[in-house]
Amino acid sequence: MRVGKNPAIPSQFLLPAYANKTLATIKPYENDTIVLVRAKSYAIVNIVSEHLTQASIREKAVQHLVQACKDNDGGNVSMAINYLVNFKREDFDKTSLDEIRIILKRTPRILICYSSLLVS
């Protein structure tokens, strides 16, 4: 990605057996200085978790994506929020919900679009 190439995500990353490992090792990419590297890491988090039914994996993915909402790049924040909307209410632990509330209060214009995350 640093040289302008955007390789496809290997199919083994989409298997449940690899999801925990992927989520555990992706943090350095989420903290990268290059916006596109961080964006791809958020996309990978979403892809490896979106079709899984294991609550623990989905909850970890939500935690990663909530942290992504604090990215310095507005496009990455918007992408992370769009990913979060597709998760179920039970995928959010109390800490994730509290952090989402804080983020949305700081950005009132997106509160209307994403308030479904906060509906009890």
Side-chain angles (χ1 to χ4, degrees):
M1 289 200 22
R2 290 182 182 270
V3 293
K5 296 181 180 178
N6 193 4
I9 297 169
S11 60
Q12 69 263 28
F13 283 89
L14 307 179
L15 300 173
Y18 288 90
N20 272 322
K21 185 171 184 166
T22 300
L23 293 175
T25 58
I26 202 155
K27 193 69 171 167
Y29 301 101
E30 294 173 336
N31 294 326
D32 199 278
T33 58
I34 297 176
V35 172
L36 290 176
V37 171
R38 294 193 312 271
K40 190 68 164 184
S41 72
Y42 306 147
I44 289 170
V45 167
N46 183 60
I47 290 167
V48 301
S49 61
E50 69 182 341
H51 298 295
L52 298 179
T53 58
Q54 293 90 340
S56 63
I57 294 173
R58 292 180 63 81
E59 190 173 298
K60 286 178 192 173
V62 165
Q63 292 166 356
H64 280 269
L65 293 172
V66 167
Q67 292 307 307
C69 291
K70 299 175 185 176
D71 193 292
N72 292 329
D73 181 76
N76 282 350
V77 172
S78 179
M79 180 175 57
I81 291 173
N82 282 326
Y83 292 151
L84 285 169
V85 171
N86 294 318
F87 283 85
K88 299 175 184 173
R89 170 91 171 153
E90 56 268 18
D91 296 329
F92 292 79
D93 62 10
K94 183 181 180 337
T95 303
S96 293
L97 285 173
D98 290 345
E99 289 189 41
I100 287 290
R101 285 184 182 102
I102 291 167
I103 292 165
L104 291 176
K105 284 180 184 175
R106 289 184 192 154
T107 320
R109 63 193 161 146
I110 63 170
L111 180 59
I112 294 169
C113 298
Y114 300 108
S115 60
S116 63
L117 289 173
L118 303 176
V119 176
S120 299

